[in-house]
Amino acid sequence: MNPAAHADVLRSLYPRVLAKTLGFTRSLPDAEDAVHYAIERALKSWPESGTPDSPEAWLMTVAGNSFRDRLRRGR
């Protein structure tokens, strides 16, 4: 998949991933930060490793881990 196709996938998944992330962060700024981090990671790793079988699940995992890491660090 080329970078433009990755961007299209990410663009289409963004609203749903943001809504789900907001469900567990309970904070729009925290959810946005976590999802933006996940998208940044996807744009770096997907061109090299390929698009995962479930891009939405991949983004949710990375966003959730990012949020939990920020909580542990005390923001």
Side-chain angles (χ1 to χ4, degrees):
M1 192 179 278
N2 65 43
H6 287 142
D8 289 342
V9 168
L10 293 168
R11 201 174 296 113
S12 70
L13 290 174
Y14 180 80
R16 189 169 42 230
V17 172
L18 179 62
K20 288 180 178 182
T21 304
L22 180 58
F24 66 81
T25 65
R26 301 284 190 235
S27 163
L28 184 57
D30 287 342
E32 288 176 328
D33 287 347
V35 174
H36 288 175
Y37 176 77
I39 288 172
E40 196 174 292
R41 291 271 314 270
L43 289 171
K44 289 179 183 176
S45 68
W46 290 3
E48 295 172 8
S49 63
T51 306
D53 291 336
S54 178
E56 183 177 346
W58 190 97
L59 290 169
M60 288 300 305
T61 299
V62 175
N65 290 343
S66 171
F67 176 69
R68 284 187 290 281
D69 288 348
R70 287 184 67 204
L71 286 179
R72 278 189 221 112
R73 285 192 305 260
R75 298 180 192 222

